[in-house]
Amino acid sequence: MLFLARKNLFQEKTRLLISVGGVAFSVLLMILLQGLNVGFSNILGQYLESVPTDLWVASANTGNIMDPSFLPPTLGQRLKNIDGVASAQPFGMQNITTSVNGKDLAFYMIAYDPSTSVGKPPKVSEGSVAPGKDEIVIDRIVAKSNKIKIGELIPFADKKLKVVGLSEGTFILSTSFAFINKADASEIYTLPTTTNYWLVSVTPGTGVQKVQSRVNGQIPEVNAHTKDHFVQVNVDLVKSIVTPVFGALVVLGALIGLAVIGLTIFTSTIEKAKEYGVLKAIGLKNRQLYVIVIEQALIAATLGFIVGAAIAYALNPTIVSAVPQFVTQLRPFDIAWIFGVTILIAIISSYIPIRRLNKIDPAEVFKA
Amino acid sequence: MSVVEVKNLSKVYGSGHTSVKAVDNINLKIEAGDIVLIMGPSGSGKTTLISMIGTLLKPTSGQIIIDNEDTAVLSDTKMADLRLHKLGFMFQSFNLLSALTAEQNVVVPLIVAGVSKKQSIAKARKLLEQLHLEKRLNNLPKNLSGGEKQRVAVARALANEPKLILADEPTANLDTKTGLEVMQLLCNTACGENRAVIIVSHDQRLKSVAKRVITIEDGKLIREEKGNHNNNCSMNHGNIPR
């Protein structure tokens, strides 16, 4: 009875437009909000993933990169003495706030070591990737939203650092990573004689977890994390902040879709109550009528999904450009489950119209 | 063999002091090829009777046997199957599906009955051609005249070759000439194919197409007389104006 569902749906063009438009809006919201959710959740993980190390060695109670971690510079030698450790490099990163153009900006300042390339920005969209003395690479989004240009000077403590590059994938919620030369870090950091993490590479052929156990066993004042674990912990940390917010908004988007499609199919069912009565009278079973209603909802939902997804893909670059803080990632996996949710919405939205169908008395068709 | 047998059929609406007996102990036997016109004043119980025979309304008491099946023991699903395969309906306000063309309206019961799409379309076209609607196949109901709509309804009622066609006030929304023409067309077709027809109407002129005329008053069958049908059940409808 697909043709009947289709004909019923397309007969009333305005209602179809409202239905498809409502679902499209709902899908657009869901896709963009989930894109933001994924974008914000993954960006820190992606940066940490780009850091070349097998183990992140932090202070004993440090679980993630937002926790304070301070380690002595002498720890490097102790780590190198452990069987299976190929190298141990210091990784400096401290949260420093400064004022730019009258506005306070917080940076996680990462110390770049030109001799080892540790602390190098993962990618730059403009300028230099390697900050020299008195230079800084800041995040592109921070630069754009605060109108900071390459060549500008940013004050830190008693120094002024010249912006020489704009990095990509280094904006995390309300803060960002910035990259300075190791020589400057010792002047700017609050505890210049300490380092924050040690990056340990294991010798080829040695199990990473085996070395992790040795480090944790032999140096009780540290907590060594495998790279995968450290990335996951940090991704989970950001997710725990952003997902409840975006998740609630995605649910709201789904509810909008549910309400719109439910109402339009319901009004259509009421308007066509007599015709459904005729169908009952001529021998259609209730379940065949349910199929007609569900098919109508599915067609409207699918059309709405196609329109909504197309608009989301078309609008995404514009939105990201207009609001640089929006970091979106539209993944095929998310598009697939949002389609699944849309189909589910269509089926759920058919429930009330179907209940209405049950109440239609076919004997009514004999009334003029 | 009777197509419909109605035994001691009654329908009471409401209960206690406010109860109304719409149909009161009616007995009726309708054979294949019968064309029965049920007449009576408004509120006499005609529509209630035809609704019960059409299995759309449950009787308070009594029995309806359609083609040897006691409808009282049938489930809703079996009842729907019975309506689909053995009954055809025509209504006062035509009740065509507004989103579908004339052809598609006739195709619906065929598709529901499991006939393939290709065969359904072929059969719908043939029926509509017999009813002189070959040029209106793709018209929506809103673009058809009253007579054309009722002819599409005739085709839809005949689509699954039912044993019994139930028509409730089929001429009420048609002008005199068109109403009679459509009913002649229905009755000649049904008679020619040995189908039974029950027509509920106030229209005295329909006596000319009926073989039996039954009068109901206050829910009771008070009279049965012969109709004026000429028993010439020709399938040739060439005399029906287009």
Side-chain angles (χ1 to χ4, degrees):
Chain A
M1 300 310 287
L2 189 62
F3 85 101
L4 184 52
R6 193 165 40 84
K7 293 279 180 181
N8 273 348
L9 198 63
F10 283 86
Q11 184 185 22
E12 184 52 69
K13 302 261 184 323
T14 309
R15 186 184 295 125
L16 175 66
L17 211 64
I18 292 169
S19 193
V20 170
V23 176
F25 178 66
S26 155
V27 167
L28 175 68
L29 270 183
M30 285 194 281
I31 290 177
L32 290 180
L33 290 168
Q34 179 59 14
L36 283 169
N37 185 19
V38 173
F40 283 136
S41 297
N42 287 349
I43 202 152
L44 176 59
Q46 282 165 355
Y47 171 67
L48 295 176
E49 191 71 53
S50 75
V51 176
T53 185
D54 293 320
L55 291 174
W56 283 81
V57 177
S59 299
N61 295 322
T62 300
N64 61 65
I65 204 152
M66 305 295 175
D67 287 341
S69 171
F70 294 100
L71 298 170
T74 52
L75 188 68
Q77 195 52 53
R78 289 175 71 191
L79 288 166
K80 283 176 195 164
N81 292 339
I82 293 172
D83 189 25
V85 172
S87 69
Q89 304 291 342
F91 185 86
M93 191 193 83
Q94 288 189 15
N95 190 9
I96 294 174
T97 302
T98 189
S99 179
V100 181
N101 301 331
K103 192 175 168 188
D104 285 346
L105 292 178
F107 294 96
Y108 278 100
M109 305 280 272
I110 294 172
Y112 164 63
D113 184 346
S115 62
T116 60
S117 285
V118 168
K120 192 175 165 184
K123 191 180 166 191
V124 289
S125 59
E126 205 180 330
S128 168
V129 76
K133 183 88 174 74
D134 297 325
E135 290 177 349
I136 186 169
V137 173
I138 63 168
D139 182 80
R140 178 187 61 83
I141 294 167
V142 173
K144 187 170 181 185
S145 52
N146 293 284
K147 298 185 174 69
I148 301 170
K149 293 200 166 45
I150 286 186
E152 259 185 62
L153 296 172
I154 299 180
F156 285 100
D158 297 330
K159 291 178 74 70
K160 282 191 173 176
L161 302 181
K162 185 181 172 187
V163 178
V164 292
L166 304 179
S167 59
E168 288 285 343
T170 46
F171 181 81
I172 300 127
L173 301 179
S174 59
T175 187
S176 69
F177 291 125
F179 304 85
I180 54 171
N181 195 281
K182 191 182 172 186
D184 293 322
S186 59
E187 296 174 39
I188 292 170
Y189 281 179
T190 46
L191 293 167
T193 56
T194 63
T195 191
N196 303 96
Y197 298 90
W198 284 89
L199 306 181
V200 168
S201 296
V202 304
T203 49
T206 313
V208 172
Q209 283 173 337
K210 207 174 260 180
V211 177
Q212 179 197 20
S213 300
R214 285 177 197 154
V215 170
N216 286 335
Q218 292 177 32
I219 312 176
E221 64 267 33
V222 300
N223 188 5
H225 305 264
T226 62
K227 184 178 182 177
D228 288 348
H229 175 256
F230 198 61
V231 167
Q232 195 55 52
V233 163
N234 282 285
V235 168
D236 290 346
L237 171 73
V238 181
K239 272 187 182 167
S240 71
I241 299 165
V242 298
T243 301
V245 178
F246 286 112
L249 293 172
V250 168
V251 170
L252 186 69
L255 289 176
I256 291 170
L258 183 69
V260 172
I261 198 164
L263 279 171
T264 49
I265 298 295
F266 181 63
T267 51
S268 160
T269 306
I270 286 178
E271 268 180 31
K272 289 198 174 286
K274 187 153 191 181
E275 293 194 5
Y276 284 114
V278 172
L279 289 169
K280 274 190 180 186
I282 66 175
L284 265 82
K285 296 170 187 79
N286 274 343
R287 63 180 163 78
Q288 290 170 310
L289 297 180
Y290 303 161
V291 169
I292 293 171
V293 168
I294 292 171
E295 280 173 349
Q296 285 180 57
L298 287 176
I299 294 169
T302 306
L303 289 174
F305 175 82
I306 292 166
V307 173
I311 294 173
Y313 271 96
L315 272 187
N316 187 44
T318 314
I319 291 172
V320 170
S321 166
V323 190
Q325 291 89 339
F326 278 11
V327 181
T328 56
Q329 270 185 30
L330 308 185
R331 303 180 302 181
F333 168 75
D334 293 314
I335 304 300
W337 74 250
I338 288 170
F339 179 64
V341 167
T342 312
I343 295 301
L344 195 67
I345 284 170
I347 293 167
I348 294 170
S349 70
S350 307
Y351 175 70
I352 294 174
I354 279 173
R355 280 187 54 149
R356 181 71 184 77
L357 277 183
N358 272 334
K359 290 180 185 165
I360 294 172
D361 179 4
E364 292 288 312
V365 295
F366 279 124
K367 291 181 182 164
Chain B
M1 192 179 77
S2 59
V3 174
V4 186
E5 197 172 349
V6 171
K7 293 179 184 172
N8 306 317
L9 194 68
S10 293
K11 178 71 184 178
V12 180
Y13 290 112
S15 58
H17 296 302
T18 57
S19 67
V20 177
K21 212 164 194 178
V23 169
D24 190 0
N25 201 33
I26 284 184
N27 288 284
L28 196 60
K29 208 179 221 183
I30 295 168
E31 309 290 336
D34 261 355
I35 297 170
V36 180
L37 175 65
I38 300 176
M39 306 197 79
S42 293
S44 59
K46 306 185 297 293
T47 298
T48 301
L49 176 62
I50 199 174
S51 298
M52 287 193 287
I53 294 172
T55 75
L56 302 175
L57 188 64
K58 283 195 164 44
T60 307
S61 61
Q63 211 177 7
I64 301 165
I65 297 161
I66 298 174
D67 198 28
N68 283 331
E69 282 192 273
D70 184 352
T71 60
V73 298
L74 295 179
S75 65
D76 285 350
T77 306
K78 294 265 183 204
M79 209 100 87
D81 275 336
L82 181 136
R83 287 198 296 272
L84 181 64
H85 295 285
K86 295 185 177 172
L87 304 180
F89 291 91
M90 284 178 67
F91 311 100
Q92 178 177 339
S93 44
F94 320 124
N95 286 341
L96 298 180
L97 304 177
S98 58
L100 303 187
T101 63
E103 181 183 282
Q104 288 163 342
N105 263 282
V106 183
V107 158
V108 167
L110 290 160
I111 295 272
V112 176
V115 180
S116 73
K117 192 179 170 188
K118 196 176 169 186
Q119 285 177 315
S120 298
I121 291 170
K123 189 165 188 184
R125 282 186 187 165
K126 192 177 166 193
L127 279 165
L128 290 166
E129 278 165 16
Q130 281 176 7
L131 295 160
H132 311 310
L133 289 169
E134 62 274 10
K135 288 181 182 166
R136 314 294 273 162
L137 298 178
N138 297 317
N139 282 67
L140 290 171
K142 66 179 179 187
N143 298 322
L144 298 173
S145 68
E148 286 171 332
K149 283 182 198 168
Q150 200 59 302
R151 276 190 277 162
V152 175
V154 170
R156 183 174 68 183
L158 291 169
N160 281 327
E161 299 171 14
K163 300 216 166 194
L164 172 66
I165 294 157
L166 299 162
D168 183 51
E169 301 283 5
T171 59
N173 283 337
L174 300 176
D175 62 66
T176 311
K177 184 168 165 270
T178 309
L180 198 59
E181 282 166 5
V182 173
M183 292 319 291
Q184 278 171 344
L185 199 53
L186 168 71
C187 293
N188 284 343
T189 308
C191 177
E193 294 172 355
N194 212 28
R195 306 187 196 293
V197 180
I198 299 177
I199 305 161
V200 162
S201 181
H202 288 96
D203 191 341
Q204 294 286 341
R205 285 163 307 113
L206 290 185
K207 285 181 178 176
S208 66
V209 297
K211 291 183 181 175
R212 295 162 65 189
V213 179
I214 288 168
T215 305
I216 292 180
E217 273 182 31
D218 297 328
K220 290 189 172 87
L221 196 160
I222 58 161
R223 188 167 57 244
E224 175 162 354
E225 56 198 314
K226 274 191 79 171
N228 301 327
H229 190 273
N230 60 11
N231 284 318
N232 175 19
C233 303
S234 166
M235 286 295 291
N236 176 9
H237 311 301
N239 59 334
I240 302 298
R242 292 167 190 235

